[in-house]
Amino acid sequence: PAAAEPRHASPAAPRRLREKLRTAARMAGPPAHTAPGSRQQVQGGERRDEPVTGAPPARETRAPFRFDYERFRRSLRHPVRGRRAGEDPETRARRMKIKEMMKFAWDNYKQYALGKNELRPLTKNGHIGNMFGGLRGATVVDALDTLYIMELEEEFQEAKKWVEKSFDLNVNGEASLFEVNIRYIGGLLAAYYLTGEEVFKSKALELGEKLLPAFNTPTGIPRGVINLGRQETRSLFSPCSGMSWSWGWASAGSSILAEFGTLHLEFLHLSELSGNPVFAEKASTSQLGLQVLNRVEKPQGLYPNFLSPVTGNWVQHHVSIGGLGDSFYEYLIKSWLMSDKKDSEAKKMYDDALEAIEKHLVKKSAGGLTYIAEWRGGILDHKMGHLACFSGGMIALGAEHTGEERKQHYLDLAAEITHTCHESYARSDTKLGPEAFRFDAGTEAMATRLSERYYILRPEVVESYMYMWRLTHDPKYRQWGWEVVKALEKHCRVEAGFSGIRDVYTTTPAHDNMQQSFFLAETLKYLYLLFCEDDVLSLDDWVFNTEAHPLPVNHTNSKA
């Protein structure tokens, strides 16, 4: 399987969109968006209702703006790394083991692939890929906050030095708006908020400006692919700069729900740090919700995965909480939490969506396992992707903020879904879960197709363990997490890093030769936090973006 492309899938796409992307890439051969003529060649400037550059660059719009970092730090309710008081020795030892795994993954990336996007641990070289438009160092930016939280000080300084000296934003190539946002923008923002180092903020703002032309569509819904060429040099002689288009494999030139719905956490912070409202205006939930998504009819209250950025209408009725849909729902509840529970529009959209999901998609197998099916024009597909396993954690997080009766209902639902995802791990020979698992033909929580048997170091299951632990303190979630640690060590650790495996149902699996950047950003971070006290990156202060980069809750209206 092509674990060649970062965690999403091949061309690029939403966090969990990666799933479909990878699937599309495997079926189609080369990534769809690289073939001339295979994509919908629509420039942001050809059918625009506004200037092609979207908005003036942040640094030119107003008098110099200075974000008050010290005031922000005073507004936090807990120390970033917690107090670490009174923990038991076993918990600490397990956390230290995960820290050792992170150091091993980083040291091998640094030795064999520094500056490339990801490490190929079997061949001991680097992988660049084609999702990031010429940007390099995806693993560096993805790893920054994990290194910091784990107190790997020397390694963090190595990563920071690379960003300062070698991270070049003057590139000209096709990039996934979604992937650049969640990995690079998210990683840089988190590193800045954790450390106050100006280089991270300035790089995030500069890169953010390069993404704005993607929003130049009749509806304001961005296209999925952006050329990162310098917009100020656009001319007849550089026709690509600032152009955007839709994925060639996306239905009828549509934008993808989990892509355009997974921008606003990061873009709100770009406005917060720059003083320029354009970022927030482009990506806010109120813009998406009130102007487009609330206007278009939703089948059974569900959100299909493909929407036309030209007409604002659905292109086909495929609904998934896994790839293509996933992080849209995640960012609704997290927008509300990040706003300190003031973004009521996002909360209502989340509540309504979850109600429709529970009514139409949540099913129970003959063996008693609760799962979330996919919906294709009214017909259910009884499968769950690994990517959809984030939903246990999301539902638990949202449950904390409902009435007492509904709270217990949603916590129970979250626990049931997380249990099902654990079963997908427990029923494999490696104790790692497949890319997708099904509930049909007498099979439950297992992959039935060869193309779904692989594991590429994905984080979604341990992500839900972390949230379930923090919200219930049921010790089984730590035990389940430790089972994953042991399985990773046994089956994925190789001489020079960690690699995905091609078949979770054999005890001697072949490796895919890819140490995904999200393994350092997410999988190891969530495992580490599972064995931390609750005040380490406290959920009172931080919301994790869909790449596990912590962004602060807006406490600025509180006394700082």
Side-chain angles (χ1 to χ4, degrees), residues 25-44:
R26 277 197 305 278
M27 295 174 69
H33 67 287
T34 59
S38 67
R39 59 179 176 253
Q40 309 295 321
Q41 300 215 6
V42 182
Q43 296 189 24

Side-chain angles (χ1 to χ4, degrees), residues 136-170:
R136 299 289 188 264
T139 292
V140 178
V141 179
D142 251 354
L144 280 164
D145 51 14
T146 310
L147 294 171
Y148 182 82
I149 288 301
M150 291 187 182
E151 300 181 56
L152 288 165
E153 307 291 357
E154 181 180 333
E155 292 78 6
F156 175 79
Q157 291 301 325
E158 292 165 353
K160 176 190 163 191
K161 181 180 178 183
W162 186 88
V163 173
E164 287 175 327
K165 308 289 187 189
S166 305
F167 186 33
D168 183 10
L169 300 184
N170 292 316

Side-chain angles (χ1 to χ4, degrees), residues 371-430:
Y371 63 98
I372 305 179
E374 296 189 7
W375 189 86
R376 299 176 188 276
I379 299 172
L380 288 181
D381 186 4
H382 295 273
K383 80 163 198 177
M384 237 182 125
H386 193 293
L387 294 169
C389 283
F390 86 102
S391 58
M394 176 188 74
I395 293 168
L397 193 60
E400 284 293 290
H401 310 285
T402 55
E404 203 53 43
E405 184 179 339
R406 299 303 290 165
K407 174 181 176 179
Q408 194 55 52
H409 170 78
Y410 283 125
L411 278 176
D412 290 345
L413 176 60
E416 290 173 19
I417 291 170
T418 304
H419 170 71
T420 297
C421 291
H422 172 257
E423 284 298 303
S424 78
Y425 277 53
R427 297 181 187 198
S428 81
D429 296 69
T430 57

Side-chain angles (χ1 to χ4, degrees), residues 86 90 95 156 163 218 234 304 311 335 343 412 497:
E90 182 183 72
R95 189 174 68 246
F156 175 79
V163 173
R234 186 186 297 100
T311 67
S335 287
D343 186 351
D412 290 345

Side-chain angles (χ1 to χ4, degrees), residues 300-506:
Q300 313 286 352
L302 297 167
Y303 289 87
N305 290 336
F306 296 99
L307 184 83
S308 167
V310 176
T311 67
N313 294 320
W314 304 118
V315 175
Q316 60 172 244
H317 287 181
H318 172 218
V319 177
S320 169
I321 312 305
L324 305 174
D326 49 23
S327 46
F328 166 76
Y329 305 98
E330 175 190 2
Y331 271 37
L332 291 178
I333 189 62
K334 288 181 175 180
S335 287
W336 182 69
L337 293 170
M338 199 178 80
S339 72
D340 217 8
K341 306 184 181 71
K342 295 180 178 65
D343 186 351
S344 57
E345 176 66 21
K347 180 66 159 59
K348 183 178 188 317
M349 290 174 71
Y350 172 80
D351 289 342
D352 292 349
L354 185 57
E355 185 178 337
I357 288 165
E358 187 170 14
K359 182 176 180 181
H360 298 288
L361 303 183
V362 172
K363 300 295 173 184
K364 185 158 286 198
S365 71
L369 297 179
T370 300
Y371 63 98
I372 305 179
E374 296 189 7
W375 189 86
R376 299 176 188 276
I379 299 172
L380 288 181
D381 186 4
H382 295 273
K383 80 163 198 177
M384 237 182 125
H386 193 293
L387 294 169
C389 283
F390 86 102
S391 58
M394 176 188 74
I395 293 168
L397 193 60
E400 284 293 290
H401 310 285
T402 55
E404 203 53 43
E405 184 179 339
R406 299 303 290 165
K407 174 181 176 179
Q408 194 55 52
H409 170 78
Y410 283 125
L411 278 176
D412 290 345
L413 176 60
E416 290 173 19
I417 291 170
T418 304
H419 170 71
T420 297
C421 291
H422 172 257
E423 284 298 303
S424 78
Y425 277 53
R427 297 181 187 198
S428 81
D429 296 69
T430 57
K431 306 306 176 190
L432 295 167
E435 181 70 1
F437 46 94
R438 295 181 179 268
F439 300 86
D440 50 27
T443 296
E444 295 196 357
M446 294 183 70
T448 59
R449 304 179 184 183
L450 285 173
S451 61
E452 297 172 344
R453 296 164 73 104
Y454 63 90
Y455 172 73
I456 54 170
L457 308 175
R458 286 204 191 276
E460 290 78 22
V461 173
V462 297
E463 174 182 353
S464 283
Y465 294 170
M466 189 279 289
Y467 281 112
M468 294 303 297
W469 162 255
R470 287 213 173 176
L471 297 170
T472 70
H473 290 130
D474 185 329
K476 73 182 178 186
Y477 296 112
R478 279 185 164 173
Q479 188 54 43
W480 291 354
W482 188 243
E483 291 169 7
V484 175
V485 170
K486 291 189 292 185
L488 287 168
E489 284 284 288
K490 183 174 182 180
H491 297 293
C492 299
R493 186 165 180 151
V494 294
E495 181 188 351
F498 288 88
S499 169
I501 57 177
R502 298 185 186 276
D503 186 354
V504 298
Y505 299 109
T506 173

